[in-house]
Amino acid sequence: MTAASKNESDADSSADAIVTACGYLTAQANLEREAAEVLSGKFDECTFDQGYVHQPLYACLTCTRPPEKYCQDGILNNVEQPSEPAGMCYSCSIECHTGHHIVELFTKRHFRCDCGTQRLLPQASEGSSGQCCQLKKLRTGLRNINNSGNTYSHNFWGFYCRCDKFYDASTESGEMIQCFVCNDWFHDACIGKVPDEESYSDYICRECVDKHAILRYISTNNMICGTVVDGKVTHIEANSAIYDASTYPAPVEKDDTEEPAKKKTRATGCRQRQDSDVVDAKQPFDLFMVDGWKEHVCTCIDCMREIECSNLEFLVKEEDVVEPEEDESRSESLYESALRQLRTMDRAQAVDAAAAYHTLSSRLKDYLRPFAASGKVVTNQDIHTFFEQHDKNNL
């Protein structure tokens, strides 16, 4: 390459690096819009004080170190020794772990935020000194808490499905389906034959069916049974019972009229289960539950005892998911948000804020005036230099 061609190449590179004010503002508006779509909720309050709740969770692979089998190339851990898995709420994933490698776990039941506890001490990042939850700074003894009621799985290291593979959205080609009971996610290819998406509302994996006998006893027309052969669902049977319910009395129709004085009693005998040896002898199967299936789960004394002992009350109860409160200001630009905040201040504060803005604006104009006169391009370093000088002048 000649000197002339090299100079031309450098000039082209410099030209490509130049960003006009209009281009910058457009890019900024696009970033604000994307952020509003992804982070639409407020993140100023941790869910820790709400206890063990059903909520969206996140894991931080920067502040924890997985066992050797779950370590991934390209993910830097700030923890030297393998640690326990940990999860955090939506707010802590933003306030305490910005810039870290975050894994989105979606919703999980009965979980209390680990951020700041002995399981998850945030490591230092931009805007954070580390080793302390930014939303629970005033809580004492937090580092001694272990949240023993939480349940963890390979999901907290970024791994899913019975194939136990790391999830990478950029390379994932198939669909993933979440189990209603264990909340793990499974590749459709690992499940096997799957009914049409419109024909079922919830999926229950074969591992959960095998673990919880009560799931094998569910008899309802609101389910689809998928028989597993050689590790894959090969046959699906719609509106089937796991056993022949015809040998049992039909359920009694509910009377809409209130029973006045006599207390309603729960049935002591179950109409929905046969001899357990027969059920357990069947091939493994997955369940695809049709909308409204919970209404058909048996609540006799025997079934409810088993449901409660297995912590499966969510099979018969509606669940409330603790979602972050919608942040209406996320739809605003930074400029609009600043103006709205200014209107909420008292007069003295508003005057001080306006004066500070005027001072900053005047100094920036004076700083940029020589660039405009000479036609010199303003670089990132020039802007950083201005704000460094501005901060020194305000000390």
Side-chain angles (χ1 to χ4, degrees):
M1 177 183 292
T2 64
S5 60
K6 182 180 184 306
N7 290 336
E8 289 177 1
S9 176
D10 292 342
D12 290 340
S13 299
S14 299
D16 291 339
I18 295 175
V19 178
T20 65
C22 181
Y24 174 80
L25 293 175
T26 300
Q28 185 65 28
N30 290 335
L31 287 174
E32 291 175 4
R33 185 178 65 255
E34 291 176 8
E37 292 174 355
V38 177
L39 307 174
S40 59
K42 294 182 178 179
F43 44 86
D44 56 354
E45 185 175 343
C46 176
T47 61
F48 181 88
D49 289 333
Q50 298 185 50
Y52 294 93
V53 295
H54 191 184
Q55 61 177 317
L57 289 180
Y58 302 81
C60 180
L61 300 185
T62 302
C63 297
T64 57
R65 177 178 287 276
E68 188 65 30
K69 66 175 291 188
Y70 290 128
C71 287
Q72 290 292 299
D73 294 336
I75 297 179
L76 299 178
N77 310 102
N78 290 342
V79 181
E80 294 182 358
Q81 298 296 325
S83 60
E84 296 178 302
M88 59 194 155
C89 67
Y90 166 84
S91 296
C92 286
S93 72
I94 300 171
E95 284 289 345
C96 308
H97 299 267
T98 296
H100 293 186
H101 193 108
I102 301 297
V103 174
E104 184 177 8
L105 304 175
F106 299 92
T107 60
K108 289 189 179 293
R109 297 184 187 89
H110 195 71
F111 200 97
R112 186 163 68 173
C113 180
D114 283 323
C115 187
T117 69
Q118 61 181 254
R119 276 185 174 269
L120 184 59
L121 294 175
Q123 303 301 302
S125 61
E126 185 176 354
S128 169
S129 58
Q131 297 295 309
C132 176
C133 174
Q134 300 301 303
L135 297 175
K136 300 190 285 287
K137 289 182 178 180
L138 301 180
R139 177 176 288 278
T140 58
L142 187 63
R143 294 189 181 195
N144 299 322
I145 294 176
N146 191 43
N147 287 340
S148 58
N150 289 346
T151 300
Y152 305 90
S153 68
H154 62 169
N155 293 172
F156 290 80
W157 304 125
F159 286 73
Y160 298 88
C161 190
R162 59 181 60 92
C163 67
D164 203 23
K165 289 185 178 179
F166 185 79
Y167 179 78
D168 185 349
S170 63
T171 59
E172 198 67 46
S173 57
E175 296 289 333
M176 296 199 74
I177 303 173
Q178 188 178 34
C179 174
F180 178 79
V181 176
C182 67
N183 291 150
D184 200 351
W185 290 79
F186 297 87
H187 300 98
D188 54 356
C190 293
I191 294 174
K193 191 172 184 179
V194 178
D196 293 336
E197 185 176 348
E198 297 77 14
S199 63
Y200 73 99
S201 60
D202 295 300
Y203 166 70
I204 301 179
C205 71
R206 66 204 65 164
E207 287 82 3
C208 285
V209 172
D210 181 65
K211 179 180 179 181
H212 303 292
I214 186 66
L215 297 176
R216 300 193 292 277
Y217 297 141
I218 293 177
S219 173
T220 168
N221 288 333
N222 287 57
M223 73 174 192
I224 301 171
C225 183
T227 304
V228 176
V229 178
D230 295 332
K232 301 287 182 69
V233 171
T234 59
H235 174 71
I236 55 176
E237 185 177 356
N239 299 327
S240 66
I242 300 174
Y243 56 87
D244 184 7
S246 63
T247 58
Y248 293 83
V252 178
E253 293 292 334
K254 291 183 179 179
D255 188 353
D256 293 334
T257 59
E258 288 292 330
E259 194 172 339
K262 186 180 177 182
K263 184 178 179 181
K264 294 181 180 179
T265 58
R266 184 178 291 163
T268 56
C270 180
R271 297 187 301 270
Q272 294 193 351
R273 60 174 81 200
Q274 64 178 33
D275 182 74
S276 61
D277 293 336
V278 177
V279 175
D280 293 342
K282 289 185 175 293
Q283 287 180 296
F285 54 87
D286 290 349
L287 291 177
F288 302 90
M289 315 305 289
V290 179
D291 190 35
W293 64 272
K294 282 187 177 183
E295 299 173 4
H296 300 270
V297 176
C298 181
T299 56
C300 72
I301 291 178
D302 291 337
C303 285
M304 281 306 301
R305 184 184 295 115
E306 190 167 342
I307 286 173
E308 291 168 359
C309 289
S310 302
N311 296 319
L312 297 175
E313 290 88 348
F314 53 83
L315 292 177
V316 294
K317 296 179 181 178
E318 291 300 321
E319 299 178 283
D320 292 326
V321 179
V322 177
E323 298 277 6
E325 182 182 352
E326 192 72 19
D327 189 351
E328 297 178 359
S329 67
R330 301 299 293 172
S331 60
E332 302 173 338
S333 67
L334 292 178
Y335 174 74
E336 292 169 333
S337 181
L339 288 180
R340 182 175 56 80
Q341 187 64 30
L342 188 63
R343 288 193 290 268
T344 64
M345 298 179 179
D346 60 36
R347 178 175 174 76
Q349 289 178 318
V351 170
D352 289 342
Y357 173 79
H358 178 73
T359 299
L360 175 62
S361 176
S362 298
R363 289 179 179 176
L364 184 57
K365 288 177 181 177
D366 291 341
Y367 180 79
L368 295 176
R369 192 168 287 113
F371 290 88
S374 63
K376 182 182 176 182
V377 173
V378 181
T379 65
N380 283 336
Q381 185 57 47
D382 293 326
I383 298 300
H384 285 304
T385 300
F386 166 79
F387 280 103
E388 287 176 0
Q389 294 175 351
H390 178 73
D391 291 340
K392 289 179 180 178
N393 292 335
N394 289 334
L395 292 178

